[in-house]
Amino acid sequence: MAAQSDTSALQERREELLARLSALGDLRPGSLVQSYRRCGKANCFCTDKQHRGHGPYSLLTRKVAGKTRTRSIPASQVAATQAQVSECQRLRRLVAELIEVSDELCQSRLTKGTSAARRLMSGQPHTPHA
């Protein structure tokens, strides 16, 4: 009976995770960072070692086929991009949790099936749970 309630709880958790996955917004992989640059002009203020340089510039970095790709993000789109990056991170956490719950559910069903097979082989009648 405990296995039945465990299986039901795992199925409910899986359904909840699937619902949360379907509610995700736009996804953008990578990290949003701010950068400062020196222009290289001899008379520019950025040549002073005490100065950070020009910027800040917002950059989205990510790995694509083993190479780091960087895209410049306009200041007007930084908040939206950060939300998209956060959603992508949320997706990864939800998928990891869904895989874990699914594995536990499969194991629970396997254990339940093994117990039923043993009962059949020993000649004990199967009594379904309500």
Side-chain angles (χ1 to χ4, degrees):
M1 184 119 153
Q4 179 70 22
S5 65
D6 288 347
T7 302
S8 295
L10 289 168
Q11 287 173 329
E12 287 176 19
R13 182 68 183 137
R14 185 183 66 184
E15 293 302 320
E16 175 192 334
L17 289 167
L18 290 171
R20 289 173 62 190
L21 281 169
S22 69
L24 286 170
D26 290 337
L27 306 167
R28 200 143 204 209
S31 299
L32 191 60
V33 297
Q34 290 199 328
S35 176
Y36 292 83
R37 296 183 184 151
R38 299 192 189 282
C39 67
K41 293 179 185 173
N43 295 338
C44 186
F45 68 90
C46 72
T47 58
D48 181 357
K49 299 221 185 268
Q50 301 298 318
H51 200 277
R52 296 168 100 171
H54 298 279
Y57 298 102
S58 295
L59 304 170
L60 179 68
T61 61
R62 65 181 274 212
K63 290 276 188 179
V64 177
K67 295 184 179 184
T68 301
R69 303 284 184 202
T70 302
R71 289 186 179 179
S72 182
I73 304 297
S76 63
Q77 294 299 310
V78 169
T81 302
Q82 184 57 56
Q84 294 160 352
V85 168
S86 294
E87 282 293 90
C88 193
Q89 292 167 346
R90 188 170 155 230
L91 169 68
R92 289 188 175 118
R93 287 190 304 271
L94 287 170
V95 167
E97 191 174 350
L98 178 62
I99 290 169
E100 185 65 30
V101 167
S102 183
D103 181 45
E104 290 176 31
L105 183 58
C106 291
Q107 185 61 40
S108 175
R109 288 176 178 158
L110 178 66
T111 303
K112 183 179 172 184
T114 302
S115 297
R118 284 186 189 144
R119 278 194 307 276
L120 284 173
M121 289 172 56
S122 68
Q124 295 175 348
H126 174 68
T127 53
H129 296 95

